[in-house]
Amino acid sequence: MSATTWLNSKLNLLRNAAPASEAPQVQDRSTRERLDATLRHNKEALSPRSLRRTLTLLQAVVDPRVSEVEGGRRAKALAEWYAGAAENERHDLWLLISEQFGPDATKVRAARDDYDAALGTADEGTAEIRLRRALVSPRTRLLQRFAAYPGGMRFLVDLRAELLPNLKSNKRLLALDAELENLFSTWFDVAFLELRTISWDSPASLIEKLIKYEAVHDIRSWADLKNRLDSDRRCYGFFHPSLPNEPLIFVEVALLNEMADNIMPLLDEGAAPEDLQKSSVAIFYSISNTQGGLRGVSFGDSLIKRVVETLRAEFPKLKTFATLSPIPGLRSWLTKNLEDILTQLNDKELSALGREISFEPPTATHVLAAIEQPVVLAALSAKSPLRLFLTRCAAHYLGRGKQGDQMLDPVARFHLGNGARIERINWFADPSSKGIKQSHGLMVNYLYDLKRIDKHRQLLAKGQAPASSEVEGFYFS
């Protein structure tokens, strides 16, 4: 019997097994215990017998005696079974890969002991090599063979996207997730990525991906999309050879003559294009990751750098590179912390705020009620105590809000980590339902000052968020 015939016979046994429940369950027993058992528990998808068959198929994929081509063929056959498997059957496959293909613990202990003994001696380098080799798990080899066949990379990225929501409920899967993230960080390194311009003349299948994956400002229609790809706009994406027609991340850019302080003009389908001869500002107004399975693999830093270089080459007059960004965590942070924030105001500030909301002294409940009215917020003048208070809250949240060493706001964490600084808080800059829900309509400009990016990173490493003097002036003491 040929290897292919044998593989297909084993897969047919799995396909013909009794159907399992669709809902995945947290497993009480490890796969080691289940493989040694006779009967399955009701909550388990695959019986011990089917689990052993699946393990045999996985071992056949990683068998060192077969070629890369044959290993890839076997992996593809398993992936085809996976496509038709029930959700909890897939869950069992993840558990097998996670628990049954780890490093050899005995070899790791021996190599670690040798390394510890060799520290400071001439044998240290050799001992380190042995330790590194011992830590390479059969799981790595297995996943490499899945990646080897055409379509295999797509399969692994989708598998991880499906796996991620299950990590909190089942820590047995953490090893598989860590292995995938580590491999993806190598396979999707920026050195292997291609920066492409996406325009209205790009293939329709690619343009449709922008609609599908846009994560910041929903694309409402084809006219909306055409506006974002007009003559005064640019859109760039990173692509990988294994996913040639799928942008991994893309950024939308508006070319203007001043820093944008409101998203609506940028999304206005009827607005006339800007005069590119007068454009001196590039505004990054939307950055969207497209592959949930690549979470933890960083593209944004390199994307912005490459886009800035590309734009400067095409438009030498561009001097300012900035974002117009959402503040996605502001509203929830404010709701939780408003009572404490009010204690930061002096008597004069409290009195002015109280008079405006018609309740003195102002309480967290009454302030929250006041800012829950978008129509009222939109009409507030620049001197309004309520507007000033909410602007100060946004600045403080972005520049001082932390959890441990990390900035609280995910968008701030991204841009500040890339060397930008918090430049300006923009009042009611996104009146959409999403903007109201996230941040009461406020947005922020992050400025990429190309001469100070390294300095900003150094400040952030010391625990200080880089910010303009205007923003710092809003902080509560």
Side-chain angles (χ1 to χ4, degrees):
M1 180 185 295
S2 70
T4 302
T5 302
W6 171 84
L7 184 67
N8 287 334
S9 69
K10 295 292 183 182
L11 284 169
N12 285 333
L13 286 173
L14 285 180
R15 293 188 181 105
N16 294 330
S21 167
E22 290 295 324
Q25 300 285 343
V26 175
Q27 306 294 336
D28 291 331
R29 300 194 295 181
S30 70
T31 53
R32 293 176 181 84
E33 294 170 314
R34 292 172 61 193
L35 289 166
D36 291 335
T38 303
L39 300 175
R40 69 179 170 192
H41 291 169
N42 289 335
K43 68 178 69 174
E44 295 168 348
L46 297 178
S47 68
R49 187 175 184 181
S50 294
L51 201 67
R52 288 191 286 270
R53 288 173 181 158
T54 308
L55 178 59
T56 300
L57 292 172
L58 289 167
Q59 290 169 334
V61 171
V62 79
D63 189 337
R65 296 169 297 179
V66 303
S67 68
E68 293 293 330
V69 173
E70 177 60 25
R73 187 180 296 117
R74 295 180 180 187
K76 182 179 180 181
L78 251 178
E80 290 171 350
W81 166 82
Y82 181 93
E87 189 175 354
N88 55 359
E89 291 175 326
R90 295 180 177 191
H91 198 276
D92 276 351
L93 184 77
W94 305 338
L95 286 168
L96 283 172
I97 298 174
S98 196
E99 294 189 323
Q100 297 298 317
F101 291 86
D104 187 315
T106 302
K107 290 182 179 179
V108 171
R109 280 194 296 269
R112 186 180 60 212
D113 291 343
D114 289 346
Y115 177 71
D116 289 341
L119 284 174
T121 73
D123 294 327
E124 181 179 337
T126 302
E128 181 185 341
I129 292 171
R130 285 200 299 270
L131 178 58
R132 287 179 179 275
R133 288 175 177 169
L135 287 168
V136 175
S137 68
R139 190 187 306 111
T140 300
R141 186 68 172 160
L142 177 65
L143 297 174
Q144 287 172 336
R145 288 201 162 173
F146 272 98
Y149 74 88
M153 193 72 78
R154 173 80 276 165
F155 168 77
L156 289 178
V157 171
D158 289 345
L159 183 151
R160 184 167 183 247
E162 190 179 2
L163 169 75
L164 284 170
N166 294 273
L167 296 181
K168 286 186 178 180
S169 61
N170 196 339
K171 294 184 178 180
R172 297 184 190 279
L173 299 172
L174 289 173
L176 173 57
D177 176 61
E179 191 90 62
L180 283 166
E181 182 177 347
N182 182 59
L183 287 171
F184 288 158
S185 294
T186 300
W187 293 339
F188 289 90
D189 184 85
V190 65
F192 304 123
L193 303 182
E194 177 189 0
L195 182 71
R196 293 189 211 163
T197 301
I198 303 172
S199 71
W200 189 248
D201 295 325
S202 297
S205 59
L206 176 54
I207 294 177
E208 287 173 351
K209 299 288 175 59
L210 301 185
I211 300 175
K212 177 181 179 180
Y213 292 123
E214 168 61 50
V216 184
H217 304 291
D218 292 341
I219 298 175
R220 304 178 300 274
S221 63
W222 284 100
D224 182 5
L225 179 58
K226 189 171 184 179
N227 174 57
R228 301 189 195 202
L229 300 175
D230 210 340
S231 61
D232 59 341
R233 305 296 179 88
R234 293 294 183 272
C235 181
Y236 303 93
F238 265 152
F239 293 78
H240 188 276
S242 293
L243 303 172
N245 300 313
E246 196 88 10
L248 306 178
I249 184 174
F250 62 88
V251 59
E252 298 167 55
V253 187
L255 304 176
L256 309 171
N257 57 18
E258 62 182 2
M259 192 180 300
D261 61 3
N262 191 298
I263 193 61
M264 301 314 291
L266 302 186
L267 303 181
D268 182 359
E269 299 164 18
E274 295 282 338
D275 183 353
L276 294 181
Q277 298 301 316
K278 298 179 180 179
S279 297
S280 59
V281 180
I283 293 292
F284 304 93
Y285 64 94
S286 180
I287 301 176
S288 299
N289 286 289
T290 70
Q291 307 299 313
L294 296 180
R295 190 178 78 184
V297 182
S298 178
F299 305 118
D301 180 11
S302 299
L303 176 68
I304 290 175
K305 286 181 179 177
R306 293 275 296 277
V307 167
V308 167
E309 292 171 0
T310 302
L311 287 170
R312 293 179 77 183
E314 185 177 0
F315 304 102
K317 291 183 179 179
L318 290 177
K319 304 299 180 184
T320 301
F321 299 89
T323 77
L324 182 59
S325 299
I327 314 175
L330 175 61
R331 182 170 179 161
S332 60
W333 174 83
L334 194 59
T335 301
K336 294 175 183 176
N337 295 278
L338 187 53
E339 190 170 342
D340 290 335
I341 294 170
L342 287 172
T343 65
Q344 304 293 314
L345 300 182
N346 59 39
D347 291 342
K348 183 178 179 180
E349 292 167 337
L350 276 172
S351 180
L353 181 60
R355 285 195 301 272
E356 183 161 30
I357 67 173
S358 302
F359 194 91
E360 294 188 65
T363 67
T365 300
H366 289 86
V367 174
L368 286 173
I371 62 178
E372 287 294 328
Q373 303 175 59
V375 175
V376 173
L377 294 182
L380 293 178
S381 70
K383 295 182 179 180
S384 158
L386 182 59
R387 173 169 170 170
L388 175 60
F389 175 72
L390 192 50
T391 301
R392 292 184 69 187
C393 288
H396 193 89
Y397 165 71
L398 292 171
R400 295 283 181 84
K402 289 186 177 183
Q403 184 172 25
D405 295 332
Q406 295 288 317
M407 307 307 298
L408 276 178
D409 189 80
V411 178
R413 196 158 57 238
F414 172 79
H415 288 295
L416 297 180
N418 290 341
R421 79 176 184 218
I422 309 167
E423 184 67 11
R424 185 175 65 189
I425 308 297
N426 298 301
W427 180 256
F428 218 67
D430 183 3
S432 70
S433 58
K434 185 176 182 179
I436 298 298
K437 184 177 180 180
Q438 288 184 333
S439 60
H440 298 288
L442 275 69
M443 298 187 77
V444 56
N445 298 119
Y446 295 101
L447 178 68
Y448 281 85
D449 185 335
L450 304 182
K451 295 180 180 179
R452 293 179 171 82
I453 283 178
D454 289 339
K455 179 182 178 182
H456 292 161
R457 282 179 165 157
Q458 291 168 10
L459 282 174
L460 191 65
K462 295 176 181 177
Q464 181 180 344
S468 67
S469 57
E470 176 186 333
V471 171
E472 288 181 338
F474 286 130
Y475 294 162
F476 299 110
S477 58

